[in-house]
Amino acid sequence: MAKIITKDGTEIYYKDWGTGQPLVFHHGWPLSGDDWDAQMMFFLQKGYRVIAHDRRGHGRSSQVSGGHDMDTYAADVAALTEALDLRDAIHIGHSTGGGEAIHYAANLGKNRVAKVVLISAVTPLMLQTENNPDGVPMAVFDEIRQGTAFNRAQYFQDFTIPFYGYNREGAKISQGIRDNWWRQGMMGSVKAHHDGIKAFSETDFTEDLKSVDIPVLVLHGEDDQIVPFPISGAKAIKLLKNGKLISYPGFPHGMPKLLRHPLSTKIFWLLFNLKQTSITGN
């Protein structure tokens, strides 16, 4: 398996296919690079180089006890992009991976990142605070911590229902998609998953969003039950200098499973042609 070793000795697994402009995929919590398989195959066939890694403690990467914070996540991405010498790359992040992608681009990825795509991302800040009163209460994240730490196998099974909007009327449940989510989650370290909840819920990405000049495409489902659209995508777009927002009525948090041809082509056509700030509704 292809891996790099970071400065603290952590092995980061990655897959790297094809040639052409690099597309780097950042997965959500508590998954792995496998969550992007369909998109990677699609864009590989379109002539792009596609790369996805397993975040430390996730998937096939080392189950280390520490470093489960956004600064270290971004540093691991920097180590990977430097090892592979990725330049003019487009970074695509879902959920926690969206936070990781923009944090890397803003702080460590200058001169290497061309554009960023944020899909159902946790930006700018999920947690309810005095300065973010409409955020998600800490009690919600404490419940996720409790379920993850002490009842992970069943909790992860149950989590797929709101994640994909399978609790909505008329939803068509795919057992294969649920099983694949659970498989990826159970491959990783319970400690990494537990500690990572703080990383995705309490990291404030406001300055990251404000500081980037590169084009950023924000995609979010309006029926996201995990990272609610009003506190995330709708706010993130207002902080970007060069951003475009597309929101999707009725789409759940796990909307990448819905982003298939021809929608994937449309999304990346929009991204590649994004030059000026543009805010749209749907």
Side-chain angles (χ1 to χ4, degrees):
M1 295 193 298
K3 292 184 177 180
I4 64 161
I5 301 177
T6 66
K7 291 180 180 179
D8 69 353
T10 301
E11 291 186 340
I12 302 295
Y13 168 85
Y14 69 93
K15 38 194 170 184
D16 178 7
W17 308 331
T19 58
Q21 185 177 20
L23 304 183
V24 183
F25 294 88
H26 304 248
H27 66 80
W29 175 95
L31 305 174
S32 73
D34 290 353
D35 206 44
W36 291 108
D37 280 353
Q39 286 77 22
M40 291 180 71
M41 287 299 296
F42 177 82
F43 290 106
L44 177 65
Q45 294 172 359
K46 297 296 181 182
Y48 294 97
R49 181 182 178 184
V50 293
I51 300 101
H53 71 291
D54 293 354
R55 190 171 300 118
R56 63 169 52 212
H58 296 63
R60 290 140 292 201
S61 292
S62 296
Q63 293 198 8
V64 292
S65 63
H68 308 298
D69 59 83
M70 201 56 63
D71 287 343
T72 307
Y73 293 165
D76 290 347
V77 173
L80 177 64
T81 58
E82 290 167 13
L84 300 181
D85 194 25
L86 303 180
R87 300 181 184 277
D88 194 34
I90 297 174
H91 286 254
I92 304 105
H94 174 251
S95 195
T96 301
E100 178 183 87
I102 201 68
H103 198 58
Y104 163 73
N107 297 282
L108 300 172
K110 294 178 181 178
N111 302 320
R112 287 187 180 272
V113 181
K115 299 171 185 179
V116 174
V117 186
L118 303 178
I119 304 177
S120 310
V122 295
T123 55
L125 173 63
M126 284 197 69
L127 182 66
Q128 183 182 66
T129 65
E130 184 177 345
N131 295 325
N132 190 41
D134 54 348
V136 178
M138 179 65 81
V140 173
F141 300 115
D142 287 342
E143 186 271 335
I144 298 174
R145 268 184 276 267
Q146 179 72 16
T148 297
F150 301 109
N151 190 30
R152 186 168 64 143
Q154 186 59 53
Y155 189 78
F156 280 7
Q157 284 277 357
D158 297 341
F159 203 82
T160 60
I161 297 296
F163 192 95
Y164 292 113
Y166 289 154
N167 54 351
R168 298 309 197 206
E169 184 177 356
K172 295 182 180 179
I173 298 175
S174 168
Q175 192 60 43
I177 287 176
R178 293 189 66 199
D179 290 347
N180 190 43
W181 197 100
W182 187 87
R183 174 192 67 84
Q184 292 176 70
M186 295 305 293
M187 284 175 65
S189 159
V190 65
K191 188 175 189 302
H193 294 162
H194 175 272
D195 294 357
I197 295 164
K198 179 181 177 68
F200 75 66
S201 64
E202 298 183 40
T203 304
D204 189 340
F205 300 95
T206 299
E207 294 307 314
D208 294 334
L209 293 165
K210 286 182 177 179
S211 68
V212 294
D213 296 314
I214 55 175
V216 179
L217 179 61
V218 179
L219 308 175
H220 217 106
E222 295 179 11
D223 192 33
D224 190 326
Q225 299 172 66
I226 308 300
V227 182
F229 172 67
I231 68 166
S232 50
K235 285 188 174 182
I237 190 62
K238 297 177 182 178
L239 299 171
L240 291 163
K241 298 174 184 176
N242 190 3
K244 183 178 182 64
L245 167 67
I246 306 177
S247 63
Y248 295 85
F251 272 34
H253 185 63
M255 60 184 276
K257 294 299 179 185
L258 305 178
L259 301 182
R260 298 172 181 166
H261 352 288
L263 188 55
S264 290
T265 304
K266 174 186 176 183
I267 287 167
F268 281 84
W269 181 88
L270 286 165
L271 180 68
F272 295 152
N273 289 278
L274 182 60
K275 296 179 180 180
Q276 297 179 345
T277 302
S278 175
I279 302 176
T280 64
N282 299 322

